[in-house]
Amino acid sequence: AQKITQTQPGMFVQEKEAVTLDCTYDTSDPSYGLFWYKQPSSGEMIFLIYQGSYDQQNATEGRYSLNFQKARKSANLVISASQLGDSAMYFCAMRATDFNNDMRFGAGTRLTVKP
Amino acid sequence: GAVVSQHPSRVICKSGTSVKIECRSLDFQATTMFWYRQFPKQSLMLMATSNEGSKATYEQGVEKDKFLINHASLTLSTLTVTSAHPEDSSFYICSASGQGAVQPQHFGDGTRLSIL
């Protein structure tokens, strides 16, 4: 079965600094995708970044980058130059081809950016 | 990016009422849609997977007769909470994806359901 683990219930970061949100996963499927979503207090789920299991390079999207370490089964999100608007819940998620295409989520990390 | 529209965004109704929530994919054909439930300060829990033209696949512990799902077209799935009670109050959010097993899911903005 798939399992996604986010061990940091809450994180604080100073504005303009970088922060790393941890995510580990477990699957026996060789083909899978890893995703990060941001959920502000208003509730919508905002897609941030995607990493495929066969991708050789770490994914990057603007200030977001994914530190993908396949052997360690980790997919940490790095946010550079934090902004006050980055304060939100962040969810790591995974889809694997063996699991009916559904997406499973970690417990989430609440990030607070301090001015 | 792909747009998923969910309606209504908020519902407040009396106990015993049935509530229908719509999820539409506006610019792509969604062969599969997903319905999640989220309690305060918790993660999203998958309730069911909705496949166009066939019966939904429910997760263990989700009552099929309580949460009716219909996916009549490639752009519309509906979730009906039948005879809702206060314990059904929650945030419900749908998502859709196109072809391809490992593609991002695109989420609606969610429906906050409050049963009095």
Side-chain angles (χ1 to χ4, degrees), chain B residues 43-112:
Chain B
S43 186
L44 279 72
M45 289 174 31
L46 181 66
M47 298 174 65
T49 302
S50 170
N51 298 298
E52 186 266 336
S54 64
K55 290 183 179 180
T57 303
Y58 289 82
E59 292 297 298
Q60 193 172 12
V62 178
E63 298 177 60
K64 299 178 183 181
D65 295 332
K66 161 67 80 174
F67 301 101
L68 300 179
I69 292 172
N70 183 276
H71 193 156
S73 76
L74 285 171
T75 60
L76 174 64
S77 177
T78 61
L79 167 68
T80 302
V81 183
T82 61
S83 186
H85 291 287
E87 59 266 27
D88 298 323
S89 298
S90 190
F91 187 66
Y92 294 87
I93 191 165
C94 72
S95 70
S97 69
Q99 294 292 335
V102 284
Q103 295 293 323
Q105 289 186 11
H106 303 282
F107 286 84
D109 286 346
T111 298
R112 201 164 297 281

Side-chain angles (χ1 to χ4, degrees), chain B residues 9-72:
Chain B
S9 59
R10 185 173 182 98
V11 180
I12 302 172
C13 58
K14 293 181 178 179
S15 185
T17 306
S18 291
V19 178
K20 180 184 280 189
I21 303 169
E22 292 188 351
C23 182
R24 293 180 184 272
S25 59
L26 298 184
D27 55 358
F28 69 103
Q29 293 184 328
T31 52
T32 307
M33 289 186 172
F34 305 89
W35 288 95
Y36 293 85
R37 183 174 183 176
Q38 186 180 29
F39 291 104
K41 299 186 179 181
Q42 294 189 23
S43 186
L44 279 72
M45 289 174 31
L46 181 66
M47 298 174 65
T49 302
S50 170
N51 298 298
E52 186 266 336
S54 64
K55 290 183 179 180
T57 303
Y58 289 82
E59 292 297 298
Q60 193 172 12
V62 178
E63 298 177 60
K64 299 178 183 181
D65 295 332
K66 161 67 80 174
F67 301 101
L68 300 179
I69 292 172
N70 183 276
H71 193 156

Side-chain angles (χ1 to χ4, degrees), chain A residues 46-109:
Chain A
I46 302 168
F47 167 66
L48 297 178
I49 196 166
Y50 161 78
Q51 180 85 45
S53 59
Y54 293 119
D55 293 343
Q56 296 295 314
Q57 293 188 329
N58 288 342
T60 60
E61 284 289 345
R63 294 187 299 111
Y64 304 108
S65 60
L66 202 151
N67 183 0
F68 180 44
Q69 298 188 41
K70 194 170 181 177
R72 300 173 72 174
K73 293 190 175 179
S74 74
N76 299 340
L77 177 70
V78 180
I79 305 175
S80 62
S82 297
Q83 302 172 356
L84 295 178
D86 293 336
S87 294
M89 281 292 288
Y90 287 81
F91 291 100
C92 180
M94 180 170 69
R95 298 181 81 181
T97 53
D98 276 357
F99 290 93
N100 199 31
N101 295 340
D102 61 21
M103 183 173 282
R104 304 287 171 159
F105 288 84
T109 296

